[in-house]
Amino acid sequence: TRLKTSGTIRDKLRREPRLTLRGIHDLAGARVVKRMTLGQQDALGQQILQFWPQAKVVDRRTSPTFGYRALHIIPRIDGRWVEIQIRTSYQDTWAQVMEIFGDLWGRDVRYGGAPSDPDAAWAKMTRGDAVHTWTGLAKDIAKLEDMENNRAQYPRDISEAPELLREPLELLDRKIEKAFGPLSAVLRSIREDLGRR
């Protein structure tokens, strides 16, 4: 579960002057994070919609906000909006690093703004370069999720797949591994560096 702090509420109202307190959908909510494919993420969203069929659905995967991607289900419960965020583990890792950047260098980085003192050194680059690079990785993560989602339609063990599909599946598995290896290394490196700070 998650509750918005009064500071983040004020920030949101300042960022979006037309917004009212009643119009904020994420004062309270829940977040579900799981190692899953995009198809499994959709299925989980559909399960939640069975409880609240009138809920709003905001798919930030098809329209990311400054790189942020997730599936949001927003039901009205006891007269109040509640936001349920459904994130794959990739989407959550990306969002958590952006949160850390925001905590360290100013909340504006989460909404496309420059970090405080953008030219200051961070690791082997500037803060501005770090935020720009991380935002760009959101597209790579989306491509990897698409590949994994396509792969999930077929048996994990290639020998169980029809003969005609074995070679294309091997090629897809190599592409996924090739994409995942460097991306995983970058994620690990950033997490470790942020952890030290």
Side-chain angles (χ1 to χ4, degrees), residues 13-14 29-30 35 49 59 77-78 81 91 99 122 152 172 185:
L13 291 170
R14 281 187 195 115
R35 177 83 168 105
L49 283 169
D59 192 341
I77 301 173
D78 294 333
W81 293 110
Q91 292 163 3
E99 281 289 327
W122 180 76
L172 184 55

Side-chain angles (χ1 to χ4, degrees), residues 37-180:
T37 65
L38 297 173
Q40 291 167 328
Q41 189 178 24
D42 287 333
L44 183 53
Q46 289 303 312
Q47 286 178 322
I48 292 170
L49 283 169
Q50 289 176 7
F51 292 99
W52 298 288
Q54 304 304 317
K56 296 179 182 184
V57 177
V58 179
D59 192 341
R60 298 245 182 256
R61 299 167 304 173
T62 57
S63 56
T65 308
F66 306 108
Y68 173 78
R69 296 170 55 252
L71 181 61
H72 293 187
I73 309 293
I74 308 169
R76 216 169 158 82
I77 301 173
D78 294 333
R80 304 275 188 262
W81 293 110
V82 176
E83 183 179 84
I84 302 167
Q85 299 173 352
I86 305 170
R87 296 181 184 171
T88 68
S89 54
Y90 293 129
Q91 292 163 3
D92 187 63
T93 298
W94 186 91
Q96 294 299 328
V97 170
M98 283 304 286
E99 281 289 327
I100 292 169
F101 283 161
D103 291 344
L104 292 174
W105 303 333
R107 306 288 297 161
D108 286 349
V109 299
R110 297 175 61 230
Y111 309 104
S116 61
D117 198 8
D119 296 326
W122 180 76
K124 296 177 182 143
M125 58 180 78
T126 67
R127 289 179 179 182
D129 289 340
V131 170
H132 179 75
T133 299
W134 190 251
T135 303
L137 279 177
K139 292 176 186 168
D140 295 331
I141 292 170
K143 287 178 192 170
L144 178 58
E145 285 181 321
D146 282 337
M147 285 192 290
E148 286 188 341
N149 195 56
N150 291 333
R151 178 60 178 94
Q153 299 173 43
Y154 302 100
R156 195 80 235 138
D157 184 351
I158 291 177
S159 66
E160 294 175 12
E163 183 73 35
L164 182 65
L165 294 177
R166 290 181 187 168
E167 191 175 325
L169 287 176
E170 285 176 0
L171 179 64
L172 184 55
D173 283 347
R174 283 196 299 272
K175 277 183 158 180
I176 290 170
E177 187 56 39
K178 185 177 179 183
F180 180 75

